[in-house]
Amino acid sequence: MNQNQPNYPLAERLSWISESETIAMAKLGRTLKAEGKDVISLSFGEPDFFTPEHIKQAAIDAIHQNFTFYTPVAGIPDLKEAIVQKFQRENQLTYQTDQIVVSTGAKNAIMNTVLSLVNPGDEVIIPRPFWVSYADMVQFAQGVPVYIDTTVESDYKITAEQLEKAISPKSKLFMFSSPNNPSGMIYSFDELKALAEVFERHPEIFIISDEIYEHINFEGKHHSIAGFGSLINRTITVNGVSKAFSMTGWRIGYIGAPKAIAFACEKLQSQFTSGTNAIAQKAAIAALNGDLTPTYQMRDAFKKRRDICYERLKAVPGIKLSLPPGAFYLFPDISAYFGKQYQGHVIHNSQDLCMFLLNQVYLVTVAGSAFGNDNCIRLSYATSEENLIKAMDRIKEGLSLLS
Ligand SMILES: Cc1ncc(COP(=O)(O)O)c(C=O)c1O
């Protein structure tokens, strides 16, 4: 950002954050493709399926009905009602409509929440690996991220003991996603219960539970941490339509939150964005109230692709990998290749390995460092089986060049 004009008088706060690395890698891949290279991208953070027809139809109807004006800042009443019902039906969480805020994607919903809660110097506990934007959001709010590290051996999940140790008198917020981006891991009922018991002992800590991948779950029922004990009183449950309904471009995300936090987020939106896109809100109602068959078909396709990739990657020497039960990412540990080289270029870290794969075998991946774990790279399997088979072959071929 601003690298060509280092003295340009931008506000200092811009230096508190960096450009999203997933977006930066996708840009590099596009440049090579424009040069005519046979590039395969595994950097996508979005399903490669189309939005289901009944959802698109609801948006078309909204346009024809001239539903094109400003909407209430926190969302139109019928969407908020659909969200209340969704939380009750699917998550057994009871919210009132004034606890719901609809935003311009879950990203906007999370940022609103962070800005509403975090004062300068407040500590925010974040398990690593985390979704790229969490740390930057906290830093933008002048909070202090406090990380809890995990490894492939622990399936990238934290324990109650680790959580307890990370808590200090300055802790204000804990934020995590399950199913997780980038690891694909999911906390079980018992694991969430153990974390919830720690939070019950620390009533001053708020929790952002990012459940955007809820429906991309290959194993079983989704569990929300807000459902444990009294945690609904200080949990902000984040969700949206981007991943479950293949609606990333529509930009609808939402929270269920304590009233004071919902009001704070609404206040921020009233000054910065206003109510999100009117037409997309109507489409989101159709998504939430509609049939989940297309979602389950997509989930099943992802599961098949995961298995294709997992079987092939597992056989590559030096790669450590666990089987992710959700989302659409693999997060292999490739640190065995650090210190190896090809034609004089030494691989020092995950970023070097990603650049090596890009330049040698035209494969776009994302460095684990972007997600707070430099031993790994993230591979998204939101692309065709044919591409994935080729991509796994390219990883094997590329890595075999390193010695
Ligand atoms: C864990 C996680 N949370 C939130 C988001 C943001 O989703 P949205 O498209 O609703 O802003 C993403 C998108 O990649 C994500 O991976």
Side-chain angles (χ1 to χ4, degrees):
M1 185 174 295
N2 193 27
Q3 54 202 0
N4 299 325
Q5 293 169 281
N7 297 321
Y8 203 87
L10 293 177
E12 191 193 327
R13 69 177 70 84
L14 264 296
S15 67
W16 304 342
I17 57 170
S18 42
E19 189 186 11
S20 163
E21 216 168 296
T22 44
I23 292 173
M25 274 309 278
K27 256 194 221 166
L28 276 179
R30 272 198 297 273
T31 309
L32 275 181
K33 208 167 191 164
E35 289 170 9
K37 303 287 191 305
D38 172 25
V39 176
I40 299 178
S41 184
L42 303 186
S43 72
F44 298 119
E46 61 183 346
D48 55 321
F49 295 84
F50 296 128
T51 302
E53 283 306 320
H54 67 282
I55 300 175
K56 290 194 281 197
Q57 191 57 51
I60 292 164
D61 293 346
I63 292 174
H64 286 150
Q65 288 156 12
N66 292 309
F67 196 75
T68 55
F69 295 92
Y70 286 136
T71 65
V73 170
I76 54 178
D78 37 352
L79 176 55
K80 286 169 66 173
E81 185 54 41
I83 293 168
V84 163
Q85 285 171 21
K86 176 258 179 278
F87 275 133
Q88 190 69 60
R89 184 176 66 243
E90 296 180 353
N91 313 110
Q92 295 74 55
L93 298 177
T94 304
Y95 289 110
Q96 312 300 320
T97 46
D98 57 2
Q99 295 181 275
I100 306 295
V101 180
V102 181
S103 299
T104 307
K107 193 178 236 176
N108 183 210
I110 298 168
M111 188 65 202
N112 282 341
T113 308
V114 169
L115 287 175
S116 296
L117 280 171
V118 176
N119 277 315
D122 282 349
E123 291 182 357
V124 179
I125 302 171
I126 308 176
R128 286 200 271 219
F130 50 77
W131 178 48
V132 270
S133 299
Y134 291 171
D136 286 90
M137 287 174 172
V138 169
Q139 280 158 206
F140 201 73
Q142 295 177 277
V144 180
V146 172
Y147 300 110
I148 306 179
D149 280 313
T150 65
T151 61
V152 62
E153 285 80 15
S154 65
D155 282 344
Y156 301 110
K157 290 190 270 193
I158 62 163
T159 61
E161 293 71 45
Q162 283 180 298
L163 175 61
E164 188 79 65
K165 260 197 211 148
I167 292 172
S168 87
K170 289 188 176 162
S171 305
K172 180 71 182 276
L173 180 65
F174 172 80
M175 56 199 294
F176 78 124
S177 66
S178 176
N180 181 269
N181 177 5
S183 74
M185 289 305 160
I186 300 179
Y187 284 87
S188 69
F189 180 89
D190 289 340
E191 288 162 345
L192 280 181
K193 185 164 175 271
L195 298 183
E197 281 164 10
V198 176
F199 288 120
E200 291 288 4
R201 289 197 289 279
H202 297 276
E204 66 291 351
I205 301 178
F206 290 86
I207 302 157
I208 293 181
S209 178
D210 179 351
E211 304 180 14
I212 191 92
Y213 291 95
E214 168 183 18
H215 285 297
I216 323 281
N217 177 337
F218 313 130
E219 286 201 342
K221 190 173 160 22
H222 175 80
H223 301 288
S224 299
I225 198 162
F228 291 88
S230 63
L231 292 190
I232 195 159
N233 298 328
R234 54 200 164 91
T235 300
I236 300 87
T237 307
V238 179
N239 214 320
V241 296
S242 287
K243 316 287 173 174
F245 303 98
S246 226
M247 291 177 70
T248 46
W250 296 75
R251 310 309 301 132
I252 297 284
Y254 55 85
I255 55 169
K259 269 183 203 172
I261 295 175
F263 180 71
C265 292
E266 181 177 355
K267 188 174 172 186
L268 284 171
Q269 286 196 171
S270 77
Q271 292 295 7
F272 296 143
T273 57
S274 297
T276 190
N277 182 295
I279 299 150
Q281 290 189 64
K282 284 289 188 190
I285 296 172
L288 294 178
N289 288 345
D291 180 15
L292 282 174
T293 305
T295 300
Y296 295 143
Q297 282 167 345
M298 180 172 74
R299 176 200 62 194
D300 294 346
F302 279 136
K303 180 167 191 268
K304 196 162 164 232
R305 294 171 183 183
R306 176 203 63 175
D307 292 341
I308 289 172
C309 296
Y310 178 76
E311 288 308 319
R312 282 168 173 76
L313 268 191
K314 214 172 54 171
V316 177
I319 281 190
K320 282 195 275 178
L321 185 67
S322 44
L323 184 69
F328 38 77
Y329 310 103
L330 291 160
F331 200 57
D333 182 319
I334 41 71
S335 57
Y337 288 89
F338 295 173
K340 297 197 176 193
Q341 58 91 33
Y342 178 63
Q343 293 183 340
H345 291 289
V346 182
I347 305 295
H348 296 290
N349 51 38
S350 59
Q351 182 68 32
D352 289 349
L353 195 90
C354 286
M355 290 313 293
F356 170 78
L357 290 174
L358 183 64
N359 292 321
Q360 290 305 317
V361 293
Y362 303 130
L363 190 67
V364 189
T365 58
V366 186
S369 52
F371 308 94
N373 184 331
D374 194 32
N375 288 333
C376 302
I377 58 173
R378 191 191 75 172
L379 311 173
S380 156
Y381 47 88
T383 186
S384 69
E385 288 178 23
E386 191 194 342
N387 269 347
L388 290 170
I389 291 169
K390 270 202 248 166
M392 296 306 119
D393 288 347
R394 287 188 192 187
I395 291 179
K396 192 172 170 194
E397 182 198 323
L399 294 180
S400 72
L401 299 173
L402 293 167
S403 58

